């Protein structure tokens, strides 16, 4: 499963304190059981001192093959452990309005 591949790669690269990989394909116009739309919530000490763009680059580089070949959309939420203590949850993703909206 693609979800497990994403989890494994992010664990290996970032040793996260918290990791959620959420298949959000059901929220989009895709076939049932599809794995094309994901949200990742990653809490890692490796994000300390990094700007948001640098954090996202790490995720994008780690999942480069999956993004090039399997994933249509990836929502990325990255936090340091101290940032996560204040939040404890990432924003909800909006429902898909369709490809032409």
């Amino acid at each position: 499963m693609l979800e497990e591949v994403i989890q494994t790669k992010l664990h290996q690269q970032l040793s996260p304190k918290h990791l959620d990989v959420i298949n959000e394909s059901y929220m989009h116009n895709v076939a049932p059981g599809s794995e094309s739309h994901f949200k990742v919530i990653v809490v890692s000490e490796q994000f300390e001192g990094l700007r948001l763009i640098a954090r996202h680059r790490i995720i994008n580089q780690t999942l480069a093959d999956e993004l090039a070949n399997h994933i249509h959309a990836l929502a990325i939420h990255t936090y340091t452990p101290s940032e996560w203590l204040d939040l404890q949850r990432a924003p909800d993703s909006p429902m898909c309005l369709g490809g032409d909206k």
Side-chain angles (χ1 to χ4, degrees):
M1 281 181 59
L2 187 54
E3 186 173 336
E4 292 172 1
V5 170
I6 294 168
Q7 288 177 352
T8 299
K9 286 189 169 190
L10 292 176
H11 266 290
Q12 290 174 345
Q13 181 69 30
L14 294 164
S15 301
K17 301 291 183 192
H18 177 88
L19 173 64
D20 283 329
V21 178
I22 303 161
N23 183 347
E24 296 187 326
S25 300
Y26 70 93
M27 297 168 56
H28 303 274
N29 267 344
V30 296
S34 177
E35 289 188 298
S36 59
H37 294 68
F38 287 91
K39 174 165 71 173
V40 295
I41 303 164
V42 186
V43 179
S44 176
E45 292 175 350
Q46 292 186 37
F47 295 144
E48 293 287 348
L50 296 180
R51 291 179 174 215
L52 186 61
I53 189 76
R55 297 175 186 189
H56 285 213
R57 281 186 184 133
I58 292 169
I59 302 296
N60 287 329
Q61 289 169 351
T62 301
L63 302 176
D65 182 60
E66 290 72 24
L67 288 164
N69 298 301
H70 306 290
I71 297 173
H72 175 73
L74 181 65
I76 302 172
H77 302 277
T78 56
Y79 305 97
T80 65
S82 61
E83 291 168 342
W84 186 246
L85 278 176
D86 293 337
L87 296 174
Q88 292 296 311
R89 76 183 296 252
D92 292 332
S93 298
M95 290 300 287
C96 181
L97 296 176
D100 61 343
K101 308 257 185 312

